[in-house]
Amino acid sequence: MPCEKCENGKYKWGKTGSCQYDTVAECEAANKEYYEEIKPTRIVELVISEENESLAIDAISLVASPAIEQDMVYFGKEKNNLTLAKIDEEKRMLVSPALIPNKQIFRYNPNTDSEYYVYFSPETVRQASELYLKHNNHHKATYEHQDRVSGVLTVESWIKEGDMDKSKLYGYDLPNGTWFVKMKINNTELWNKIKAGEVSGLSIEGYFTDKMEKMSEKTPTNEEILSALNEIIKENQINNK
């Protein structure tokens, strides 16, 4: 039952709490008993499934409460924290991180009533960003992980690689390896939601798998089988001497 962001920009405790906190930290501090008593949760590394590489990032969803807890920056005259003179609302562009490496993302499984965290390694983040473009998913977008929306196109995609990264121009100070995208929003209804603050960030949609489960289910190769048989033969030969 973590703190959640409300439509008015404030935060509430759980699904039914009131939107009374200005920040996540304030919300968590007011409900610290929960964090002190909560049982340890699993931390799961997610990796790309080889069987579903083309769907690693099937689409990017524009949402009110992004799981990675980073709001977007958009190019516009209103609420604009960019000061570049050439930028105006007609461009209808937004910049946002899509994935942050090693960022723990809270998840709840209603089937098992269990809470856990997932994260992506820098290598997986880079691979996902490359497959997203390779399979032409840059034109796929949804709203709140539900309805597919038209008029949204990713026009830039890059991985932060140093302190001089251009993400700094947009006010971001995120780790190296963060995947950023710039999106063109030609959908007027969606653009109005962005300006109104009803959409504040991005959330990925794709197919990933638990790294530990993947390793346990791995089928041995012929080379690995032959190597194991050779070890058994050698051991028997030694024991029979």
Side-chain angles (χ1 to χ4, degrees):
M1 189 187 301
C3 296
E4 296 187 2
K5 192 171 185 179
C6 305
E7 292 184 357
N8 63 2
K10 289 183 177 294
Y11 291 84
K12 63 181 179 179
W13 175 246
K15 298 290 184 184
T16 59
S18 59
C19 302
Q20 58 181 311
Y21 305 106
D22 293 328
T23 65
V24 173
E26 182 181 340
C27 177
E28 291 178 345
N31 298 276
K32 62 181 181 180
E33 294 83 4
Y34 173 84
Y35 293 97
E36 291 173 352
E37 297 174 4
I38 191 171
K39 296 179 181 178
T41 55
R42 288 193 307 143
I43 300 177
V44 177
E45 179 182 353
L46 295 184
V47 295
I48 293 172
S49 170
E50 296 175 0
E51 296 79 17
N52 293 299
E53 278 194 353
S54 62
L55 299 176
I57 303 292
D58 183 47
I60 292 180
S61 189
L62 292 95
V63 298
S65 301
I68 58 175
E69 301 172 347
Q70 289 289 330
D71 290 350
M72 64 176 65
V73 173
Y74 73 85
F75 301 114
K77 294 177 182 177
E78 300 174 2
K79 300 180 183 177
N80 183 15
N81 53 5
L82 298 179
T83 57
L84 303 180
K86 295 181 180 180
I87 293 174
D88 63 271
E89 193 170 319
E90 296 306 315
K91 290 185 178 294
R92 292 191 176 188
M93 296 277 194
L94 64 84
V95 175
S96 176
L99 275 180
I100 302 172
N102 300 320
K103 170 74 175 181
Q104 293 184 8
I105 303 170
F106 177 81
R107 285 291 179 266
Y108 172 72
N109 186 338
N111 296 323
T112 60
D113 189 29
S114 60
E115 299 175 344
Y116 63 104
Y117 289 87
V118 299
Y119 74 96
F120 302 87
S121 70
E123 294 76 17
T124 299
V125 171
R126 179 177 292 278
Q127 186 182 7
S129 71
E130 293 172 352
L131 290 172
Y132 171 71
L133 296 179
K134 176 181 177 180
H135 294 285
N136 294 317
N137 292 329
H138 59 287
H139 63 286
K140 296 181 180 180
T142 65
Y143 175 61
E144 290 291 358
H145 292 294
Q146 297 178 5
D147 302 324
R148 184 63 64 90
V149 292
S150 60
V152 178
L153 179 69
T154 298
V155 295
E156 285 189 43
S157 171
W158 76 93
I159 299 291
K160 180 182 177 182
E161 295 182 335
D163 292 338
M164 301 302 291
D165 187 78
K166 63 182 177 181
S167 60
K168 294 275 190 176
L169 296 174
Y170 307 118
Y172 290 112
D173 186 18
L174 293 174
N176 289 337
T178 298
W179 174 25
F180 286 94
V181 295
K182 179 186 285 188
M183 306 182 86
K184 173 78 171 179
I185 312 296
N186 286 323
N187 185 310
T188 299
E189 181 180 359
L190 193 56
W191 182 249
N192 288 335
K193 289 181 181 293
I194 292 171
K195 291 195 300 177
E198 296 176 27
V199 173
S200 62
L202 305 181
S203 181
I204 64 168
E205 294 183 359
Y207 291 83
F208 297 87
T209 185
D210 183 324
K211 182 177 181 180
M212 295 304 295
E213 288 182 4
K214 180 179 179 182
M215 292 175 65
S216 65
E217 295 172 358
K218 181 181 177 182
T219 302
T221 64
N222 291 335
E223 290 78 9
E224 290 172 336
I225 293 173
L226 287 173
S227 176
L229 287 173
N230 287 331
E231 290 296 325
I232 294 174
I233 292 172
K234 289 179 182 178
E235 183 175 346
N236 286 336
Q237 289 174 343
I238 293 173
N239 292 334
N240 293 330
K241 285 183 178 180

